Amino acid sequence: MPTQQEIELQAAAFRRLQQHLMQDRTDVQNIDMMNLAGFCRNCLSRWYQEAANERGIDMTKEKPVLLTISVTEDEIRGIGGENIEGAYAAMKYFQSLDNENNKDFVSAFKERWGDDIVIGDVTQAAYLGPWLWKAAVEKAGSFDIDKVRLASPGIELTTAPEGYVRVHENHHLWSKTRLGLAKPDGQY
C-alpha cells in the first residue's frame, strides 16, 4: 500500500504530465504517443475515469459534465429532457426567467402558438430583433439603412423578455449571460 507521501508524489507527477501534454506540448499528436509509448491523452483521461469509478465516484461516459452554448429549450424537446438532464447551458435567455417581461412574453407566445410550445434563446432573439429595429428607426427618424445603422448604437430596451439590453457602438448587443442547469422537464 503506497504511503501518503508516495500518493502525493504520484499525483504531482501526473499533474505535470497532464500539463506537459495538454498545455506545454500540444503539438505532440495522440498518434505519435500511441506509436512511441503505447498510450495517449485519451488513455490518461480513461485511466482517471476508471480510478474514480473504482472509488465510487460517478464519472462515467454516460454522465459527463456537459456545457453547451447551443442546446435551447425547444431543441431539448426533440432530444428529451431525460437525455440532457444535468447539462449546463450558457445563454442570454431561458424560458424559465423570472421577470415580468418574460412572464408576459411567454404567456402571449403560448396563447398564440399553444401551451405545448417552448421558447429558446434563438426564438427570443428573433422576437427582440424587430423591436431593436423599430427603436433605431424611430431614433433615426428614417427608414434609410445608413441612418438607421448610425442611430443604432446606444439603443436601450428594458422591455425585452431577457431583461435590459443595449446596442453597443460596434453594433453588438449587450445583455446578461446566464448559466442554466437542464432539468428533466426540458427547462433550465
Side-chain angles (χ1 to χ4, degrees):
M1 186 116 181
T3 66
Q4 183 62 32
Q5 186 176 40
E6 287 174 318
I7 292 170
E8 290 171 8
L9 292 171
Q10 291 166 353
F14 174 78
R15 285 191 295 272
R16 182 62 187 100
L17 176 61
Q18 182 183 32
Q19 177 187 337
H20 181 74
L21 295 174
M22 304 303 248
Q23 296 171 12
D24 300 342
R25 288 298 309 269
T26 56
D27 59 311
V28 175
Q29 299 296 310
N30 276 347
I31 191 68
D32 298 331
M33 292 174 57
M34 288 298 290
N35 289 337
L36 294 172
F39 79 98
C40 66
R41 292 171 177 87
N42 297 336
C43 295
L44 289 175
S45 64
R46 189 181 73 243
W47 296 337
Y48 190 89
Q49 176 185 5
E50 288 170 357
N53 291 341
E54 288 169 6
R55 288 158 181 80
I57 301 167
D58 187 13
M59 287 187 62
T60 63
K61 291 178 184 174
E62 292 76 27
K63 290 209 172 239
V65 174
L66 174 66
L67 174 62
T68 177
I69 58 170
S70 64
V71 179
T72 63
E73 291 94 327
D74 45 349
E75 293 165 319
I76 291 176
R77 188 173 184 182
I79 297 169
E82 70 281 0
N83 295 315
I84 197 162
E85 178 184 5
Y88 291 91
M91 296 185 206
K92 61 186 196 129
Y93 174 83
F94 297 110
Q95 180 177 300
S96 61
L97 288 178
D98 188 19
N99 69 56
E100 289 306 312
N101 294 347
N102 190 51
K103 289 176 186 175
D104 293 345
F105 173 67
V106 170
S107 176
F109 201 91
K110 287 181 176 281
E111 184 177 318
R112 173 75 168 97
W113 301 105
D115 285 335
D116 291 339
I117 198 76
V118 291
I119 306 162
D121 187 64
V122 175
T123 305
Q124 188 267 169
Y127 168 82
L128 183 57
W131 291 105
L132 291 168
W133 171 257
K134 176 184 180 288
V137 166
E138 289 173 351
K139 184 178 174 185
S142 171
F143 285 101
D144 180 86
I145 298 295
D146 291 328
K147 291 179 182 177
V148 170
R149 185 180 52 77
L150 290 172
S152 293
I155 297 283
E156 297 178 333
L157 292 180
T158 59
T159 56
E162 67 184 84
Y164 173 84
V165 297
R166 181 175 180 269
V167 179
H168 189 265
E169 287 73 25
N170 65 11
H171 295 268
H172 289 260
L173 190 66
W174 278 3
S175 59
K176 287 184 180 179
T177 299
R178 296 175 166 91
L179 288 177
L181 181 63
K183 299 184 292 187
D185 67 357
Q187 292 295 308
Y188 287 102

